Amino acid sequence: MSEKEMEQLRLRARKLDRIAIAVSAAAFVVLVSATVRLAVAAGEKVTTSNLASLAGGVFLLPLLLAVGLYALLYFGMVHGAYQKFNLAFKQTYVVDTIRAMGGFEDLRYAPGKGFSYNEVWDSCVVATGDAKYYGSEDLLTGVYRGLPFACGDVVTKYLKRSGKKTREETIFCGQIMRFSLPQEAKWSFGHLQIFEKELLSDLKGRTAPHRVQVENEAFNRRFQVFAADEHNAFYLLTPQMLEQIVRFADAAGSQTAMAFVGRSLYVAVNNDRSVFEASVKKPVAGQRQDIRAEAELLCRAGELLVLEADGLSQPARN
C-alpha cells in the first residue's frame, strides 16, 4: 500500500472520529437546554438544599447520555475504520522502518501474536495475574547484532473484589523483551531477578528465594535483587553490569524489571503503551520516527544488558 493510500485511511478514521465527537457534543447541548427548559416550566427554584440535585440533573445526566452516544458511534463507525488503518500501517511500515536502522536480521512481525501466558509466568519478570485477563500482541522477532530477540506488548490484570463489587485491575502494561544469550555470555542457574522497587510491589511473592544486597548502595536503594543462587548472582552482577542496568533503566524512562533464566534474559518496561500503534492525529510520514524510537529501546536493552555488559562487542553508541 502506498503512503498516499495509507494517509487516506488515516484521514477517514480521523474524520469519522471528529463527526462522532461533534454529534455527541451537540446532543449534550440539546439535552442540557431541554433539561433547563423543563426545570423552568416546572417552576423549579434554586435553593441551597436543591442546588446539587439540580446541577446533577441539568449537567450530569446529559453528559452521561452524550458519552454513551459517543461510545455507540465510535464502535459503530470509527473503530472499524481505525482498525483498518492501524493494521495496514503496521504491516507496511514496522519491519521496513526497523530494518533500515541497520544491525537487524531475520525480522518478523506478527501484529496479532504475542508471548504466551505460560512463558511470561515462567519468566517471573512481571506478575501475570489471571490468565483470563492476560493479553499480548505486536510480536517482533529477529536478530540484532548477532543477538536473537523477541519483543511484544503485554498486559496483565487480575480481578479485584471489594465487597460485592469486582473490577479488573491492571498489574503491568508495557513491553517485554527476550534475548537469547550467546554461548560465551554469563548465564543464570535458576532465576535472577532485578526489579525497580515500585514495580516489585505487584509481584506478590513470585520471586526467587534469596534477597541479594550488592556492594552499591545507590543501586540497592533503587532496585531489589532476588536469586535462586546467591553466588551466581554476584558472578553475573559485576560493577559494570550494575552500571549498565542503571543506564538502561534511565533510558527506558519507566519502571523496569529484568530476569535472567538460564540462557535467556527477559526485560520488562512498564510504560503503559502499545509500541507500534498508529495514530490518526499525526501524518503517516511522521510516524516512522515513532517506530524507530520504540526499536531504539530494544537496541539499548540488547547492547547495555548483554553485548556491552559481558564485553562481547564494542559499544555501538553513547
Side-chain angles (χ1 to χ4, degrees):
M1 182 178 290
S2 69
E3 187 171 298
K4 182 179 179 180
E5 291 173 318
M6 192 80 65
E7 185 67 9
Q8 289 174 343
L9 289 178
R10 181 188 74 83
L11 291 173
R12 172 175 168 73
R14 189 178 187 187
K15 180 180 179 180
L16 290 174
D17 188 45
R18 285 176 168 175
I19 291 172
I21 292 172
V23 170
S24 302
F28 173 72
V29 172
V30 170
L31 288 168
V32 169
S33 299
T35 305
V36 170
R37 286 197 298 270
L38 287 173
V40 171
E44 195 77 47
K45 295 181 179 179
V46 178
T47 65
T48 304
S49 60
N50 71 357
L51 180 61
S53 61
L54 280 176
V58 171
F59 294 105
L60 184 58
L61 183 58
L63 178 62
L64 291 175
L65 291 172
V67 170
L69 175 61
Y70 174 76
L72 288 173
L73 292 172
Y74 180 85
F75 286 104
M77 65 181 191
V78 182
H79 182 68
Y82 172 74
Q83 288 296 93
K84 183 178 180 180
F85 161 62
N86 190 40
L87 183 59
F89 175 85
K90 290 179 176 182
Q91 292 176 335
T92 302
Y93 287 111
V94 171
V95 170
D96 286 347
T97 302
I98 296 175
R99 185 182 290 119
M101 293 171 61
F104 287 95
E105 300 176 68
D106 300 329
L107 281 174
R108 291 180 173 81
Y109 175 55
K113 295 184 178 180
F115 289 106
S116 71
Y117 176 87
N118 288 338
E119 179 175 359
V120 176
W121 192 92
D122 288 339
S123 75
C124 297
V125 71
V126 297
T128 48
D130 298 334
K132 179 180 178 181
Y133 306 107
Y134 172 86
S136 183
E137 61 181 4
D138 284 330
L139 186 65
L140 178 72
T141 62
V143 178
Y144 175 65
R145 294 177 56 196
L147 184 64
F149 71 87
C151 177
D153 290 341
V154 172
V155 177
T156 69
K157 300 179 181 181
Y158 70 101
L159 197 63
K160 185 174 183 178
R161 293 176 173 81
S162 179
K164 295 182 179 181
K165 297 181 179 179
T166 59
R167 71 173 188 273
E168 293 179 24
E169 192 81 10
T170 298
I171 304 170
F172 175 86
C173 178
Q175 287 72 53
I176 289 181
M177 312 167 205
R178 182 191 68 223
F179 298 97
S180 299
L181 302 178
Q183 288 296 317
E184 63 272 30
K186 296 177 181 178
W187 57 286
S188 174
F189 301 100
H191 287 76
L192 171 61
Q193 302 158 288
I194 303 101
F195 305 108
E196 285 199 75
K197 291 185 177 180
E198 184 179 324
L199 189 61
L200 176 66
S201 64
D202 282 324
L203 284 173
K204 296 181 174 57
R206 290 284 295 150
T207 56
H210 302 291
R211 170 76 184 277
V212 175
Q213 292 283 321
V214 299
E215 295 181 0
N216 183 323
E217 287 307 316
F219 188 91
N220 289 331
R221 286 193 296 270
R222 182 172 178 179
F223 299 90
Q224 289 188 350
V225 179
F226 295 87
D229 185 299
E230 293 177 272
H231 295 292
N232 185 235
F234 287 110
Y235 171 68
L236 281 165
L237 298 178
T238 62
Q240 181 185 358
M241 184 61 179
L242 297 179
E243 180 183 339
Q244 301 292 73
I245 290 171
V246 171
R247 287 179 61 192
F248 174 74
D250 289 343
S254 302
Q255 289 290 305
T256 59
M258 297 148 216
F260 290 88
V261 189
R263 290 197 175 276
S264 294
L265 167 63
Y266 289 87
V267 181
V269 180
N270 192 38
N271 57 17
D272 197 29
R273 67 173 183 265
S274 179
V275 284
F276 301 128
E277 209 72 9
S279 171
V280 297
K281 297 179 180 180
K282 184 185 295 188
V284 168
Q287 296 191 49
R288 283 183 179 270
Q289 181 57 38
D290 297 333
I291 296 174
R292 285 191 288 268
E294 299 296 352
E296 180 74 12
L297 187 62
L298 172 70
C299 298
R300 296 295 282 166
E303 291 165 1
L304 291 172
L305 303 176
V306 183
L307 299 176
E308 294 176 25
D310 266 322
L312 300 178
S313 67
Q314 294 298 315
R317 65 196 75 194
N318 295 323

